[in-house]
């Protein structure tokens, strides 16, 4: 709830506004639309006799300006009667307002259009005052509204989570981009965000990797480029293991079972199993080697993540789950009668514990293998219980591809069946579709760095086509790199998360259409206008905003005033496209206004006012881009 102090403060700053009533989740000092919602609630509640608590949340934002700035779906007030009849009665009782035009009835909806003057006077100073925080809820925090003493809420976002020595595939790319965005979003909403990377860094394959390194590895390549080197080693040793298996099969077919058995008893696969066993038993040498691979890989990952403005608070991983914890969990499940033995392995048959269709669709899953080793799912369970102890989180999001939908459903269900209902209620799987055709000129993509380098080079070529402009760019390599990264990220976040999309270098790097380079261009253009105008902050802050009367200016202000609502709506959709769609709508409005609302060359007072408007637009664009994880460029 907005505190008295903040409303008083607002009243002082915006003396042109009427006195506001206070409503839950109403933050008029950071969200201009809340001022209008509060104002409209008071009027509508006195016209209709409906409790303000019902009116306030019924007032919705609109997708396009022709529908008004706020719309009321009449049935949402829960009054008996035909909506259009009620609507026309209410509209006829409209008392007039300094902030809002006479409402327009549209079937079962009433549209409200904000009067331009007061909106401009409110929006621009608010955006320029809060700057980097405009649209965020940091000042207020998403504290428990009913009990502020509970303080800031904590959320864990687990994302990226690649597998050491294996390719960083499209699933990891999307998890990185979407997870980074969600973490920023919650942070902007005032949450305490913990970013966790849960590496695939444990299992028999890391025993095999160690054997491969003994055979094919070398110190120089490892330190220079650990991720690539370990991958190459892993590929080579996998070829060897495949050869062995082929040989064994051949012996089998040729009637030489002893020879085949010899391979099975002493071959690479068995050696890898033994090596991994040493690792689980904490063998000093084996662990030291593995830890080195892991540390070097993390160092390298960190450099790449930094290019995407991403950092992690914790590099966890499958290796970090203690055997003892998993054994404890397995015992608990057995004692509760959840698991059963099947040829030495421990499994859970969901159809016996969950009724109906759900139980069937969850199927059966093994939690512990015959030799007592744990599995992916088992590790996830213990890791979750450990995170609960370590972080005492209020919510946790797992950003993992849709291919693992079933895994996540089984995982959360087991936790619930184990009696941790409260924990299961706090976790959420955020999934996403596949990337089709992800290959570049150099072939199929294997690592994040390859993707970024390739797209960056492509972008550099696109830039070279406009020679005049290209020659003015100070550091074309760095700009091309940033634009390339923006291309990849914007294409990834353009559609709904759940959709598949086709990785298309030509489309994503184009300046036409709703692309990363288009957004960057819009930002660079605003920055350039700011530079050319050369006005001081003071000159902009004290501009006479009543000069902004043109329809283009008014519409731009209306779109900008939606920004804080867009951010809070995104917290419901958890879709990056909610932000992107808005940013493209805003930048289209912006670019159509340049010819009409010139800054440089206009009369000085007009220039100041327009600069204030564009400055507010730049604040919104910059904040939106950073929320998505992009680095806005000043020149390009
Ligand atoms: N490393 C896994 C993979 O590449 C993803 C891990 C997802 N997170 C989890 N808690 N299971 O498939």
């Amino acid at each position: 709830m907005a505190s008295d102090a903040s409303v008083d403060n607002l009243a002082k700053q915006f003396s042109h506004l009427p006195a506001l009533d206070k409503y839950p989740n109403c933050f008029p000092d950071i969200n201009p639309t809340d001022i209008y919602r509060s104002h409209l609630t008071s009027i509508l509640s006195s016209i209709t006799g409906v409790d303000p608590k019902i009116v306030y949340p019924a007032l919705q934002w609109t997708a396009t300006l022709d529908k008004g700035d706020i719309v009321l779906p009449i049935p949402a007030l829960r009054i008996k009667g035909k909506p259009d009849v009620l609507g026309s009665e209410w509209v006829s009782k409209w008392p007039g307002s300094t902030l809002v035009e006479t409402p327009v009835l549209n079937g079962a909806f009433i549209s409200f259009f904000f009067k331009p003057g007061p909106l401009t006077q409110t929006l621009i100073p608010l955006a320029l005052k809060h700057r980097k925080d405009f649209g965020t809820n940091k000042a207020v925090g998403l504290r428990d509204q009913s009990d502020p003493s509970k303080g800031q809420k904590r959320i864990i976002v687990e994302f990226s989570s690649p597998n050491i020595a294996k390719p960083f595939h499209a699933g990891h790319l999307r998890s990185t981009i979407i997870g980074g965005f969600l973490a920023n979003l919650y942070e902007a909403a005032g949450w305490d965000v913990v970013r966790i990377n849960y590496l695939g860094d444990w299992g028999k394959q890391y025993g095999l990797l160690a054997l491969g390194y003994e055979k094919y590895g070398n110190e120089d390549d490892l330190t220079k480029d650990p991720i690539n080197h370990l991958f190459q080693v892993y590929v080579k040793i996998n070829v060897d293991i495949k050869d062995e298996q082929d040989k064994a099969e051949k012996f089998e077919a040729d009637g030489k079972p002893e020879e085949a058995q010899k391979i099975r008893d002493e071959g690479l696969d068995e050696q890898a199993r033994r090596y991994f066993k040493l690792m689980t038993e904490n063998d000093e040498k084996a662990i030291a080697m593995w830890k080195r691979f892991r540390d070097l890989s993390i160092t390298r990952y960190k450099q790449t993540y930094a290019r995407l403005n991403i950092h992690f608070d914790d590099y966890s991983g499958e290796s970090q789950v203690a055997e003892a914890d998993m054994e404890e969990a397995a015992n608990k499940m057995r004692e509760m009668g959840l698991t059963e033995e099947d040829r030495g392995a421990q499994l859970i048959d969901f159809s016996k514990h969950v009724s109906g269709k759900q139980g069937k669709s969850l199927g059966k899953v093994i939690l512990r293998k015959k030799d007592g080793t744990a599995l992916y799912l088992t590790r996830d369970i213990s890791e979750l219980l450990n995170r609960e102890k370590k972080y005492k989180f209020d919510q946790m999001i797992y950003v993992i591809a849709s291919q693992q939908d079933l895994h996540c459903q089984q995982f959360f269900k087991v936790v619930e069946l184990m009696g941790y209902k409260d924990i299961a209620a706090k976790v959420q799987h955020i999934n996403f579709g596949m990337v089709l055709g992800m290959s570049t000129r150099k072939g199929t993509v294997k690592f994040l760095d390859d993707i970024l380098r390739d797209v960056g080079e492509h972008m550099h070529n696109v830039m070279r086509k406009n020679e005049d402009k290209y020659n003015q760019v100070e550091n074309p390599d760095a700009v091309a790199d940033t634009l390339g990264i923006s291309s990849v990220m914007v294409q990834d976040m353009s559609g709904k998360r759940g959709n598949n999309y086709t990785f298309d270098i030509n489309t994503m790097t184009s300046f036409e259409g709703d692309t990363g380079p288009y957004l960057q261009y819009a930002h660079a253009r605003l920055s350039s206008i700011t530079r050319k105008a050369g006005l001081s902050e003071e000159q902009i802050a004290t501009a006479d905003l009543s000069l902004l009367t043109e329809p283009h200016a008014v519409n731009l202000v209306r779109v900008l005033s939606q920004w804080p609502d867009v951010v809070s709506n995104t917290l419901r959709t958890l879709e990056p496209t909610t932000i992107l769609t808005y940013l493209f709508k805003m930048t289209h409005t912006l670019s159509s206004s340049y010819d009409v609302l010139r800054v440089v060359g206009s009369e000085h007072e007009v220039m100041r006012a327009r600069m204030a408007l564009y400055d507010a637009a730049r604040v919104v664009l910059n904040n939106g881009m950073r929320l998505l994880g992009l680095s806005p460029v000043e020149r390009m």
Side-chain angles (χ1 to χ4, degrees):
M1 197 173 309
S3 68
D4 289 352
S6 64
V7 173
D8 286 351
N9 201 359
L10 184 78
K12 252 182 251 145
Q13 195 186 350
F14 302 112
S15 49
H16 58 285
L17 300 176
L20 292 180
D21 288 320
K22 285 162 257 157
Y23 299 100
N25 289 314
C26 175
F27 305 106
D29 47 352
I30 49 173
N31 183 351
T33 312
D34 281 352
I35 296 170
Y36 289 82
R37 263 191 288 264
S38 161
H39 175 66
L40 283 171
T41 299
S42 305
I43 298 179
L44 283 168
S45 150
S46 75
I47 291 180
T48 61
V50 175
D51 189 335
K53 280 200 211 79
I54 296 179
V55 179
Y56 190 86
L59 296 171
Q60 294 177 0
W61 61 306
T62 62
T64 52
L65 295 181
D66 57 306
K67 304 247 164 41
D69 296 290
I70 284 184
V71 65
L72 171 72
I74 295 166
L77 294 196
R78 294 178 239 157
I79 295 236
K80 275 215 179 86
K82 283 197 170 148
D84 51 335
V85 177
L86 289 172
S88 69
E89 184 195 320
W90 295 343
V91 169
S92 73
K93 286 190 187 160
W94 181 255
S97 146
T98 46
L99 296 187
V100 184
E101 311 276 8
T102 304
V104 183
L105 182 65
N106 214 330
F109 296 88
I110 302 181
S111 291
F112 300 94
F113 291 83
F114 300 165
K115 286 186 176 169
L119 181 64
T120 305
Q121 304 275 356
T122 310
L123 182 274
I124 295 179
L126 215 55
L128 299 188
K129 177 177 157 207
H130 291 294
R131 292 251 152 209
K132 284 199 171 340
D133 285 335
F134 181 58
T136 75
N137 212 358
K138 271 187 200 149
V140 203
L142 246 200
R143 287 156 208 272
D144 188 323
Q145 303 285 331
S146 53
D147 181 3
S149 69
K150 280 196 184 143
Q152 202 180 18
K153 290 200 196 176
R154 171 173 290 171
I155 187 167
I156 296 178
V157 183
E158 185 217 274
F159 64 108
S160 197
S161 311
N163 304 321
I164 288 174
K166 288 196 193 167
F168 191 103
H169 57 69
H172 301 122
L173 174 72
R174 296 209 73 187
S175 174
T176 307
I177 294 175
I178 295 167
F181 160 71
L182 290 174
N184 292 345
L185 179 69
Y186 275 92
E187 212 158 65
W191 289 65
D192 169 20
V193 179
V194 180
R195 294 160 165 89
I196 296 186
N197 197 334
Y198 183 66
L199 298 172
D201 58 357
W202 205 237
K204 192 174 79 180
Q205 68 268 35
Y206 297 97
L208 184 62
L209 179 66
L211 299 178
Y213 188 77
E214 274 164 17
K215 205 165 160 191
Y216 300 112
N218 79 72
E219 192 54 36
D220 268 7
D221 291 344
L222 180 68
T223 36
K224 239 187 266 147
D225 192 355
I227 292 181
N228 266 311
H229 184 58
L230 290 177
F231 175 63
Q232 278 157 15
V233 165
Y234 189 66
V235 168
K236 282 185 195 152
I237 197 77
N238 266 294
V239 169
D240 293 352
I241 214 170
K242 176 93 184 34
D243 283 351
E244 271 191 8
Q245 276 157 1
D246 290 349
K247 243 189 239 157
E249 268 169 40
K250 194 161 180 307
F251 281 135
E252 221 48 278
D254 294 349
K256 295 180 186 160
E258 318 82 44
E259 308 273 340
Q261 192 57 39
K262 192 164 177 254
I263 292 183
R264 270 184 222 112
D265 290 344
E266 288 161 31
L268 278 171
D269 192 62
E270 176 57 21
Q271 289 173 38
R273 200 189 63 77
R274 276 186 222 147
Y275 196 100
F276 179 58
K277 188 114 199 304
L278 286 179
M279 285 162 64
T280 62
E281 286 160 359
N282 245 324
D283 176 88
E284 213 174 297
K285 235 179 102 202
I287 285 293
M289 168 112 118
W290 164 85
K291 190 171 178 311
R292 213 169 149 235
F293 293 165
R294 184 180 197 269
D295 289 348
L296 284 169
S297 301
I298 290 177
T299 306
R300 193 67 198 82
Y301 281 133
K302 278 185 182 164
Q303 294 164 2
T304 310
Y305 289 132
R307 298 171 67 188
L308 304 172
N309 300 318
I310 284 171
H311 72 275
F312 289 92
D313 300 295
D314 190 2
Y315 279 84
S316 177
E318 295 181 38
S319 66
Q320 304 301 299
V321 191
E323 282 298 323
D325 291 345
M326 290 187 285
E327 213 172 294
E328 200 188 304
N331 290 341
K332 183 177 160 97
M333 286 187 262
R334 195 181 313 116
E335 277 157 30
M336 290 178 79
L338 285 173
T339 49
E340 54 198 83
E341 223 172 277
D342 185 32
R343 278 160 285 173
Q346 289 288 323
L347 63 75
I348 175 164
D349 179 350
F350 286 99
S351 69
K352 292 185 184 159
H353 307 280
V354 182
S355 59
K357 258 196 192 155
Q358 203 198 2
K360 270 206 198 94
S361 70
L362 288 172
K364 286 184 192 175
V365 63
I366 296 181
L367 287 153
R368 255 180 130 68
K369 284 200 289 197
K370 200 164 115 192
D371 63 3
T373 50
L375 291 152
Y376 185 52
L377 175 64
T378 324
R379 293 195 189 104
D380 256 332
I381 296 166
S382 290
E383 167 82 2
L384 167 58
L385 299 179
N386 287 340
R387 284 183 199 170
E388 163 75 6
K389 279 191 216 124
K390 184 167 174 191
Y391 292 106
K392 301 195 176 38
F393 57 87
D394 296 284
Q395 257 195 64
M396 172 149 62
I397 284 178
Y398 290 88
V399 191
I400 315 176
S402 304
Q403 278 109 317
Q404 295 190 29
D405 280 357
L406 180 62
H407 166 77
C408 289
Q409 286 159 10
Q410 292 172 331
F411 167 25
F412 296 165
K413 194 45 116 188
V414 172
V415 172
E416 191 189 309
L417 291 172
M418 285 175 80
Y420 303 114
K421 274 209 164 73
D422 47 333
I423 299 181
K426 297 193 293 188
V427 296
Q428 186 181 6
H429 173 207
I430 290 290
N431 62 1
F432 49 82
M434 293 189 296
V435 186
L436 310 171
M438 195 160 95
S439 58
T440 61
R441 285 173 301 134
K442 295 196 173 106
T444 322
V445 173
K446 295 209 174 62
F447 297 104
L448 185 52
D449 271 339
D450 300 334
I451 306 170
L452 301 183
R453 188 208 46 227
D454 249 67
V455 181
E457 280 173 11
H458 187 93
M459 199 65 230
H460 206 148
N461 290 334
V462 173
M463 285 163 64
R464 276 197 195 95
K465 286 188 188 138
N466 190 335
E467 213 178 312
D468 287 349
K469 256 197 162 167
Y470 181 76
N471 291 333
Q472 286 169 35
V473 180
E474 246 168 70
N475 193 345
D477 269 322
V479 172
D481 192 58
T482 306
L483 294 185
I485 291 170
S486 304
S487 308
V488 174
M489 292 178 71
V490 168
Q491 181 167 71
D492 193 274
M493 296 192 277
S494 286
K496 281 206 167 175
R497 281 188 272 109
N499 297 345
N500 299 343
Y501 74 87
T502 305
F503 192 86
D504 184 340
I505 282 213
N506 291 315
T507 312
M508 73 170 89
T509 53
S510 166
F511 282 95
E512 272 135 52
D514 291 345
T515 64
Y518 176 85
L519 273 192
Q520 289 285 12
Y521 174 74
H523 188 268
R525 181 153 184 193
L526 282 171
S527 306
S528 142
I529 293 174
T530 310
R531 280 192 303 269
K532 283 188 190 133
L535 297 173
S536 69
E537 240 174 75
E538 171 74 12
Q539 283 172 312
I540 295 174
T542 55
D544 177 3
L545 303 176
S546 71
L547 297 171
L548 297 170
T549 52
E550 301 84 352
H552 279 92
V554 172
N555 279 343
L556 185 53
V557 169
R558 290 173 68 203
V559 176
L560 293 176
S561 74
Q562 297 172 338
W563 171 240
D565 265 13
V566 169
V567 179
S568 46
N569 191 40
T570 309
L571 275 162
R572 274 187 291 271
T573 65
L574 299 183
E575 292 278 1
T577 183
T578 311
I579 300 278
L580 262 180
T581 306
Y582 168 80
L583 288 184
F584 285 120
K585 178 171 81 172
M586 194 280 272
T587 45
H588 293 158
T589 311
L590 186 65
S591 68
S592 67
S593 73
Y594 286 132
D595 284 343
V596 189
L597 308 174
R598 299 194 153 278
V599 173
V600 180
S602 293
E603 189 270 318
H604 192 67
E605 290 305 311
V606 173
M607 174 166 157
R608 280 169 64 190
R610 288 180 181 171
M611 196 57 242
L613 172 62
Y614 287 143
D615 208 17
R618 192 166 57 98
V619 164
V620 169
L621 181 56
N622 190 292
N623 292 2
M625 291 174 77
R626 283 185 300 105
L627 197 57
L628 293 169
L630 307 172
S631 313
V633 300
E634 309 268 317
R635 296 169 199 262
M636 62 187 259

